[in-house]
Amino acid sequence: MSDLSHRRASPRPAPSSAGAPAFVWVLVGLLAAIEIILSAADAGLIGAPRWRSLAIFLGAFWPPILAEGAGGLFPGQREAMFLTHAFLHANMLHMVMNAVILLALGKAIGERAGAWRTLLLFALSAVAGGLAFWLISVSDGPMIGASGAAFGFFGLWNAWDLLRRRQRGASLRPVLGTIVGLIVVNVVLFVFLEGGLAWEAHLGGYLMGWLAAFTFCRLRDPVRQV
């Protein structure tokens, strides 16, 4: 039996049409829980308003800490902040924007890559975002947010799309259009936020997504010819 006839006789089940996998919801739920607690503290409903400032001091990405001879507030902060910054946000809107991206792209990525690869992508994209921010940015201020990790999802999705299109011989213009669109969005937000956008972290996470597409998140099944 030929390979093509075998695939026709035993078709691969279509991905579930349900929402994002449970592990993606758990991840987003953790981001939301942290922001809800800090927002409640800001409003004086629980704890104290200084909770957000304390969280930023302890968990944000601080470039000066990486300077030679500098030290963190606790042992291991220099290493931990490459990941912990992704679990803190400036406000509820900031968190919701990242959560929407993670849930929307996490559905397809989670179904194809599986739980541990998707979570590894999130973590490595956050780390890459911190690394890019440190190497490129001239800011000494803190950087927070899961945007770098979210852009890692964008990068992987775009890379997968490019690979599929190349295998089918289809136009690559949609992929290039998406890349241009992401650049435009970053420029607009950078201007709107008066320079308060950590585009460097977005770039680092996005590139990690592309790297993942050719390493630990390679597509499991090739594009089928019909």
Side-chain angles (χ1 to χ4, degrees):
M1 181 182 292
S2 69
D3 187 50
L4 179 59
S5 61
H6 174 73
R7 282 198 290 263
R8 285 176 176 171
S10 302
R12 184 182 180 89
S16 171
S17 60
F23 66 88
V24 177
W25 278 103
V26 171
L27 174 63
V28 171
L30 178 58
L31 301 180
I34 293 173
E35 180 53 40
I36 289 172
I37 291 172
L38 295 181
S39 292
D42 290 341
L45 300 177
I46 61 172
R50 68 175 182 274
W51 279 15
R52 187 179 296 275
S53 296
L54 181 60
I56 291 175
F57 277 129
L58 297 176
F61 187 90
W62 293 91
I65 295 179
L66 296 173
E68 185 177 356
L73 296 177
F74 60 87
Q77 184 180 10
R78 296 178 63 170
E79 296 75 24
M81 69 181 184
F82 278 91
L83 182 59
T84 57
H85 76 271
F87 292 87
L88 299 174
H89 292 86
N91 48 51
M92 187 64 70
L93 177 61
H94 186 199
M95 186 278 298
V96 168
M97 291 174 63
N98 285 327
V100 168
I101 296 173
L102 293 172
L103 288 173
L105 297 181
K107 170 180 165 51
I109 291 174
E111 288 175 346
R112 289 166 174 78
W116 80 264
R117 289 183 178 86
T118 303
L119 296 176
L120 181 61
L121 174 65
F122 177 92
L124 291 181
S125 296
V127 171
L131 181 62
F133 185 79
W134 173 50
L135 293 175
I136 302 174
S137 177
V138 296
S139 172
D140 288 332
M143 186 269 288
I144 56 175
S147 299
F151 268 78
F153 280 33
F154 269 128
L156 178 60
W157 181 254
N158 287 163
W160 278 354
D161 191 22
L162 180 140
L163 291 173
R164 292 191 195 98
R165 290 177 177 279
R166 286 185 61 184
Q167 289 173 343
R168 294 198 305 261
S171 173
L172 301 182
R173 286 185 179 180
V175 179
L176 299 177
T178 300
I179 294 174
V180 171
L182 290 174
I183 293 174
V184 171
V185 168
N186 273 269
V187 171
V188 170
L189 288 176
F190 185 82
V191 173
F192 179 76
L193 296 174
E194 298 179 344
L197 181 75
W199 62 268
E200 302 91 346
H202 296 179
L203 175 61
Y206 186 77
L207 293 178
M208 176 54 68
W210 275 81
L211 178 61
F214 295 93
T215 54
F216 64 91
C217 278
R218 289 191 297 268
L219 283 173
R220 293 180 176 177
D221 51 340
V223 174
R224 298 179 175 82
Q225 302 296 322
V226 296

